[in-house]
């Protein structure tokens, strides 16, 4: 009887889709395993753009070691988000947190800074007030390009070519109009999904796009639960 049960369990496991996690080596967290859907997001041009954005703005000009990027930061946040949700699920099972919920939180954590401009909050606090609606959009485009390359002329051509991508125009437009990087992050996330066919991949990992996309975007933007259009228990 036990042999039959064992064989049956092995058969069920063999039919389950195998998820191959990728390992990233981080100077703070060590080896981090990330879900393959997160890796697909990381490999998009929109996320790779974060490699060139300083996490601490111009602080590295004073503190030589403060050179880490929004790219490394976002991957670390996604890793910690998984552990945070895992801890909640283990200690508060009454919350009924599913693996789907966990994956949504990880995606939101990974994408929460997609809308940042060059030098992070310096861009919000000093650059944006100088580029208000009514000024030339072309001027704001050129200024952003120059600012992003000002301290590394070798990136100029690369930035110029990438900035031709529609997403760069999206982020510029929403920065000028909304002035909040969280809202720009949501817009970049939407554009990233469309340009890279991520919706199909999300469905392959059993996400319910009708509900889960709203949930992810609310997490990125910091939406209050009372404002959510998604029904909660």
């Amino acid at each position: 009887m036990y042999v039959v049960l064992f064989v049956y369990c092995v058969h069920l496991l063999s039919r389950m889709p195998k998820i191959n996690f990728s390992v990233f080596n981080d100077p703070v967290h060590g080896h981090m395993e990330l879900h393959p859907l997160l890796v697909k997001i990381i490999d998009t041009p929109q996320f790779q753009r974060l490699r060139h954005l300083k996490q601490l703005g111009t602080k590295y000009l004073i503190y030589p070691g403060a050179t880490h990027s929004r790219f490394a930061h976002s991957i670390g946040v996604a890793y910690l988000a998984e552990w945070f949700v895992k801890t909640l699920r283990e200690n508060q099972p009454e919350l009924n947190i599913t693996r789907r919920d966990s994956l949504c939180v990880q995606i939101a954590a990974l994408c929460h800074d997609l809308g940042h401009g060059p030098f992070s909050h310096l861009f919000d606090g000093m650059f944006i007030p100088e580029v208000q609606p009514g000024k030339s959009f072309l001027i704001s485009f050129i200024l952003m390009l120059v600012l992003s390359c000002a301290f590394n002329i070798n990136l100029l051509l690369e930035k110029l070519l990438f900035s031709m991508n529609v997403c760069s125009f999206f982020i510029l437009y929403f920065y000028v109009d909304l002035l909040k990087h969280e809202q720009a992050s949501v817009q970049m996330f939407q554009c990233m999904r469309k340009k890279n066919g991520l919706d199909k991949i999300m469905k392959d990992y059993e996400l319910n796009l009708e509900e889960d996309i709203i949930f992810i975007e609310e997490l990125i933007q910091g939406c209050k639960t009372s404002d959510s259009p998604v029904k909660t228990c």
Side-chain angles (χ1 to χ4, degrees), residues 184-208:
S185 294
V186 170
Q187 296 297 327
M188 183 69 89
F189 175 67
Q190 294 171 348
C191 185
M192 178 177 66
R193 286 169 40 223
K194 179 180 179 181
K195 293 296 180 181
N196 299 280
L198 291 179
D199 284 359
K200 181 181 182 301
I201 300 174
M202 290 179 176
K203 288 181 180 179
D204 291 341
Y205 288 106
E206 301 181 347
L207 291 188
N208 181 344

Side-chain angles (χ1 to χ4, degrees), residues 42 172 180:
I42 291 171
L172 274 169
K180 291 184 179 181

Side-chain angles (χ1 to χ4, degrees), residues 44-154:
T44 64
Q46 292 76 24
F47 192 87
Q48 290 292 317
R49 166 185 170 274
L50 298 181
R51 287 182 181 273
H52 308 302
L53 301 186
K54 294 288 192 298
Q55 174 73 16
L56 298 177
T58 57
K59 301 296 190 300
Y60 74 98
L61 296 173
I62 304 299
Y63 304 99
T67 57
H68 53 296
S69 65
R70 289 277 167 188
F71 180 85
H73 164 73
S74 296
I75 293 176
V77 173
Y79 172 73
L80 292 179
E82 179 189 9
W83 279 98
F84 177 73
V85 175
K86 181 180 178 182
T87 301
L88 283 177
R89 188 169 60 235
E90 291 176 351
N91 290 279
Q92 295 181 263
E94 68 275 10
L95 295 177
N96 297 317
I97 298 175
T98 65
R99 294 186 180 278
R100 203 179 94 197
D101 295 330
S102 176
L103 185 55
C104 288
V105 173
Q106 292 174 61
I107 293 171
L110 185 68
C111 298
H112 78 284
D113 274 348
L114 284 177
H116 268 289
F119 303 107
S120 297
H121 292 290
L122 177 65
F123 190 70
D124 300 41
M126 296 185 67
F127 179 73
I128 287 301
E130 297 296 325
V131 189
Q132 294 294 334
K135 292 190 176 182
S136 170
F137 181 83
L138 179 61
I139 291 176
S140 64
F141 172 80
I142 294 173
L143 285 175
M144 180 178 178
L145 178 64
V146 171
L147 181 61
S148 65
C149 302
F151 292 91
N152 193 340
I153 197 64
N154 293 328

Side-chain angles (χ1 to χ4, degrees), residues 33-50:
E33 289 189 350
L34 295 183
H35 192 282
L37 177 54
L38 301 187
V39 177
K40 289 289 186 181
I41 293 174
I42 291 171
D43 287 341
T44 64
Q46 292 76 24
F47 192 87
Q48 290 292 317
R49 166 185 170 274
L50 298 181

